[in-house]
Amino acid sequence: RLADRLRERWPDLRVLFMSGYTETGLLAQQLVEPGNWFLQKPFLPDVLVRRVREVLDSPLPAVR
């Protein structure tokens, strides 16, 4: 909900969701929408850095 509210003000805002749950499980519970960026915990610092760079360099998803 927070990401949705922030995107009302900044539509091009990129959001990286992270959780200890699997992306599939979160999608099933409708907590993360398809097309959003996701990182599953646990992760190493270099994985986080690469993922953030990927998110910043990627075009905005068509589905949000």
Side-chain angles (χ1 to χ4, degrees), residues 1 5 10 13 17-18 21 24-26 28 30 32 37 39 41 43-44 46 48 53-54 56 60 63:
R1 287 185 260 171
R5 300 262 328 259
W10 298 286
L13 180 70
F17 293 93
M18 52 182 82
Y21 294 102
T24 305
L26 293 173
Q30 298 178 341
V32 175
W37 292 282
L39 181 61
K41 295 178 187 176
F43 51 82
L44 298 172
D46 62 314
L48 173 61
R53 182 78 267 158
E54 178 185 334
L56 292 173
L60 289 170
V63 177

Side-chain angles (χ1 to χ4, degrees), residues 38-52:
F38 179 80
L39 181 61
Q40 186 174 345
K41 295 178 187 176
F43 51 82
L44 298 172
D46 62 314
V47 173
L48 173 61
V49 169
R50 283 195 311 266
R51 189 66 171 149
V52 169

